[in-house]
Structure formats: C-alpha cells, structure tokens
C-alpha cells in the first residue's frame, strides 16, 4: 500500500510511534538488520573499484602500444536496494543476503565504452586472461543482437577483493559497448521507463529504434574499416 504524499499522522499516532515503536530495542534491531546489507554493499563498491582499475591499467598500456586510447569512458553503478528487492521478487528468490549474493549478478555494474568494436573484444580478452578474473557467463549481444536491436558484450565475472583479514570473491557485471551502441541503449532505456506512451505509438517507436540499431551497427563496422585502412596505410608509409 502506498500512502498519499500529503498523508499526515495524527499527534496520537506520532506519540504511539515515539513511545512504542522507536524504542532502543527497535533501533538496535534495525542496526543489526541493516549492518550486513551495508557491509555487502561496501564489498560490491570495492569490486567495482577493482575492475575499474583493471580497465584503466589496460587502457594505459594499450594506449602506449597503439598510440590511442581504446576506452572512451567508464561508467559504474551500484544497484539500488529497491532494485535488488524487485529482482528478488521477480526471480522468486528467498529473501536473504546469501540468495541475493548467489543469484543476483549485476549488483556491481561496470560499463566500458569504446570507440571501435575490435577494442571491445581486445579488452574483454585481456581482462579474462588475468589470473584473478573468473568468467561466470558471457552474453555476446554484438554477435547476436537482441530482437529489439540491443547490442553490447556482457560478462559476469568473479574477482577477489582484498580486505583487512580476508579475501572475498565478488561478482560483477561488465558491459562493453561502442559509443554508438551506448547512444542507442541510452535512448532505448529512457523510452522503456516511459509508461504513458500509447501502445500504437510505442510500436512505431520500437520499429524506428530497431532501424536505428541497424544503422548504428553499420556505422560501427564502417568506422572500424576506416580505422583499419588508416592503420594499414601508416604501416606502408
Ligand atoms: P539497468 O538499469 O541497466 O541495471 P539477469 O541480470 O541475468 O537476471 P538478463 O536479462 O539475463 O538478467 O541480463 P542481460 O540480458 O545480461 O541484461 C542485463 C542488463 O543489460 C540490463 O540491466 C541493461 O543494463 C542491459 N540491457 C539488456 N537488454 C537491454 C535492452 O534491450 N535495452 C537496453 N537499453 N539495455 C538492455 P537492467 O537491470 O535491465 O537495467
């Protein structure tokens, strides 16, 4: 049940809450319940830092080798608690932290934006060859785009984080895309959250978006081709 935004508690209700609910025992219990969640979220923030650093190091090294940066930008995000709870509900999981950690793979998210499609595979390969990175699952939506036109390379990886007195393996979702794929996905994402678009209009927009995804894929492969031709010409010079 959602309360209206202008809902106000009566003075008697406020007094009841203060005296009967907001007891020291209740405050202790709240802390005991939220502490493990905060701890787990801190571990996910750590794995984001670990993976982001791995990509920054690779970018630095590859930029020396090829005289350009393969990574345009890196975006990171920690899934909100609301988002986690909704996923628990949708996947019909038991509501406990163990189940959350075992079954929800995208609490830590790292998105790597590249200029060229080749860079995506080069970076993914370099990441996965590192001793401490374990691949859990790969979804190649570039080789096999989704029906709506979505393209990206998704990796679910497990990486250790080194804490004061333990090493913990944490999962994260890495999404690698070109600038064109990211542009398309951002617009698609915005539209997906607009609930009040009439069905007929939504259908037209989805068709338009799909056509744009084809154009964007073509743009990616032509840009890649031009880049390769320039590299080839430089070799001959
Ligand atoms: P947000 O807000 O980006 O986090 P699973 O995670 O395994 O339960 P699934 O569907 O197997 O779910 O994962 P998949 O296919 O690897 O995709 C998960 C994420 O990829 C999504 O996260 C999006 O970020 C992105 N994604 C997948 N399909 C699309 C798409 O059609 N359009 C756009 N714009 N993004 C997509 P969330 O949690 O949905 O959203």
């Amino acid at each position: 049940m959602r309360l209206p935004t202008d809902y106000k508690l009566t003075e008697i209700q406020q007094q009841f809450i203060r005296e009967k609910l907001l007891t020291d025992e209740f405050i202790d219990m709240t802390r005991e319940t939220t502490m493990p969640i905060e701890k787990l979220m801190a571990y996910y923030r750590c794995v984001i830092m670990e993976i982001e650093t791995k990509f920054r190091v690779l970018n630095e090294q590859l930029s020396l080798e090829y005289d350009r940066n393969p990574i345009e930008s890196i975006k990171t995000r920690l899934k909100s608690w609301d988002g986690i709870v909704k996923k628990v509900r949708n996947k019909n999981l038991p509501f406990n932290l163990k189940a959350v950690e075992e079954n929800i793979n995208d609490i830590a998210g790292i998105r790597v934006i590249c200029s060229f499609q080749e860079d995506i595979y080069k970076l993914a390969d370099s990441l996965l060859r590192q001793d401490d990175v374990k691949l859990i699952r790969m979804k190649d939506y570039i080789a096999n785009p989704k029906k709506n036109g979505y393209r990206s390379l998704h990796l679910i990886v497990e990486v250790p984080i080194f804490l004061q007195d333990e090493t913990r393996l944490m999962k994260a979702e890495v999404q690698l895309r070109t600038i064109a794929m990211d542009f398309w996905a951002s617009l698609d994402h915005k539209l997906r959250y607009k609930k009040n678009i009439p069905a007929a209009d939504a259908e037209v927009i989805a068709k338009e978006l799909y056509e744009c995804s084809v154009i964007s894929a073509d743009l990616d492969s032509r840009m890649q081709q031009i880049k390769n031709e320039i590299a080839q010409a430089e070799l001959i010079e």
Side-chain angles (χ1 to χ4, degrees), residues 107-118:
I107 296 176
I110 300 97
R111 188 170 288 158
V112 181
I113 320 288
C114 306
S115 304
F116 301 103
Q117 208 162 288
E118 264 177 25

Side-chain angles (χ1 to χ4, degrees), residues 30-71:
T30 314
R31 193 179 326 110
E32 274 166 29
T33 316
T34 55
M35 272 274 282
I37 299 177
E38 280 170 21
K39 213 165 147 188
L40 186 63
M41 291 300 128
Y43 295 159
Y44 280 114
R45 277 196 295 276
C46 293
V47 78
I48 288 176
M49 287 191 268
E50 287 282 353
I51 297 176
E52 184 174 4
T53 303
K54 283 178 180 295
F55 278 113
R56 295 210 179 279
V57 170
L58 285 171
N59 195 37
E60 199 63 38
Q61 198 234 325
L62 291 168
S63 70
L64 285 175
E65 206 171 309
Y66 299 103
D67 206 20
R68 65 178 185 85
N69 289 321
I71 299 178

Side-chain angles (χ1 to χ4, degrees), residues 5 14 26 49 72 97 102 115 125 149-150 152 158 162 193 201 221 223 234:
T5 43
Q14 295 269 16
F26 177 77
M49 287 191 268
E72 278 294 323
L97 287 190
E102 281 173 5
S115 304
D125 189 48
Y150 176 78
S152 283
E158 193 173 61
F162 301 97
Y193 285 95
D201 293 352
S221 67
M223 297 293 262
E234 278 174 345

